[in-house]
Amino acid sequence: MMFEEVLSPGQVKNDADSLAVWGKDWTNGFSVAPSAVVFPEDNHQVAGLVAYARREKIALVPSGGRTGLSGGAVAGHGEVVVSFDRMNKILNFNPEERLVTCQAGVITQALQEFAREQNLFYPVDFASSGSSQLGGNVATNAGGIKVIRYGLTRDWVAGLRVVTGTGQLLHCNNGLVKNATGYDMRHLFIGSEGTLGLICELDMRLTKPPAPQVVMVLGVPRVDHLLDVLNSFNHTLTLSAFEFFSDLALEKVCAHRTLARPLAEPAAYYALLEFDETAMDSAGKAFEHCINEGWVADGVLSQSQAQAASLWQLREGISESIAAHTPYKNDLSVTVSQVPEFLSEVDRFVDDSYPDFEVCWYGHIGDGNLHLNILRPEHLSVEEFMAMGHAMSPNIFSLVQTRGGSISAEHGVGLLKKDFLHYSRSEAEITLMKGLKNLFDPDQILNPGKLFA
Ligand code: S2G
Ligand code: ZN
């Protein structure tokens, strides 16, 4: 049995069903062919299995909630999947520091609930938080819907225990607030997609809960007005979220979830705003200003937490609602001020070059992150369509590159975007990143083939 010196037989699976389940994530279009799945239960077992893998030249693919959208957790070439499902305990809570020590396999929502029980708040949130794991959130520096107010996962990691590709267990920062003693190693591992080390344990910071939240959905006739609306509300209150979606996205989610449209008349775009109920007066003034300026045609304000949740469904339900169209996904970001022009440029390109492609826009426009999902026309097979999506991407990524944007804002590079990394990172940076990879994983056993072409 593999890893017999480190793991017990019950911690190793190689039956076909297990290989099929744990060998993939939410990304379509890549072969799934791991040789085994292992389930370590503590940091020392992780260190032991990496040392064993290094000696036996076995490639390892770390796997958390398997909600990734760039193939970062796909094992397609006989790798061994290292699942953190059994490292799913909250180990400690320190009220003075407001720090929770979690194993990597803790589900994001479990941390959110634990925080609530302590009358505190873990603010990083997104549609997949019910199944994603903290280790994977850190490995991809997950963002989601509250970044405009609370930042990204990176901003909430106070400490990490990571096993590098040489089998060393590193303790990074130990939960300290201040630590000016050289390079902050945390930030190398955060967003490294399991290519520099296997994240085993995290010290996550919590914060005070906000006031009860109110949600507004506004009908916005023109894309450039979205920025005017953002600026108008940003000047008068603290936004917890500023999301957007197109009318096509709304049409799909209302049909899929049999939800009523939020406004009497359709609009080209919709902005979903969330803010503290204590800012209601300021929000009313900003809304009136936007109506008077013609930036907003109509709007609805949640009257209860239940209604706030149903308005959020209009945004958070989009991804699932369009899945049947096997969309070709691009997760792009530019600085916020460039969003309207950039979005219009991409629309023009797709209209001119692929007139039968339907563009479904949605995303976290308040932080410049747009999710471009192109719906597959029925006359194309998934393979044909994915190939066309891949072929069109250089044109879209050239538009991103011109604006100094990112070809992957929050979903990571993985397998899906590795051929396009140079559109967002210079040759010098890529050379240095590969140097770091060789330093931390000299035998290239950690998630090989990901991130770099
Ligand atoms: C979102 C979820 C994945 C996708 O809805 O914000 O990050 O692109 C996405 O559908
Ligand atoms: Zn997103």
Side-chain angles (χ1 to χ4, degrees), residues 26 69 126-127 144-145 243 315-316 318-320 322 329-331 362-364 369 371 373 410-411:
W26 277 0
L69 290 154
F126 32 78
I145 56 177
E243 300 283 306
R315 165 62 184 85
E316 293 208 299
I318 297 172
S319 187
E320 174 196 300
I322 62 174
K329 290 178 171 294
N330 265 310
D331 161 38
Y362 55 99
H364 323 278
N369 180 187
H371 293 308
N373 280 243
E410 58 176 8
H411 295 167

Side-chain angles (χ1 to χ4, degrees), residues 81-99:
V81 173
V82 181
S83 167
F84 286 88
D85 287 2
R86 296 187 196 173
M87 291 176 67
N88 60 355
K89 294 173 189 55
I90 290 180
L91 300 175
N92 186 37
F93 170 60
N94 194 314
E96 291 75 14
E97 271 87 35
R98 292 181 180 163
L99 275 189

Side-chain angles (χ1 to χ4, degrees), residues 17 46 68 88 106 191 228 241 250 276 288 299 333 377:
D17 289 348
V46 176
N88 60 355
V106 168
D228 298 316
L250 181 65
D276 295 355
E288 233 173 274
S333 61

Side-chain angles (χ1 to χ4, degrees), residues 43 62 64 88 99 179 200 226 331 346 362 374 433:
N43 304 349
N88 60 355
L99 275 189
N179 181 6
C200 300
L226 284 162
D331 161 38
V346 173
Y362 55 99
I374 297 175
M433 288 201 283

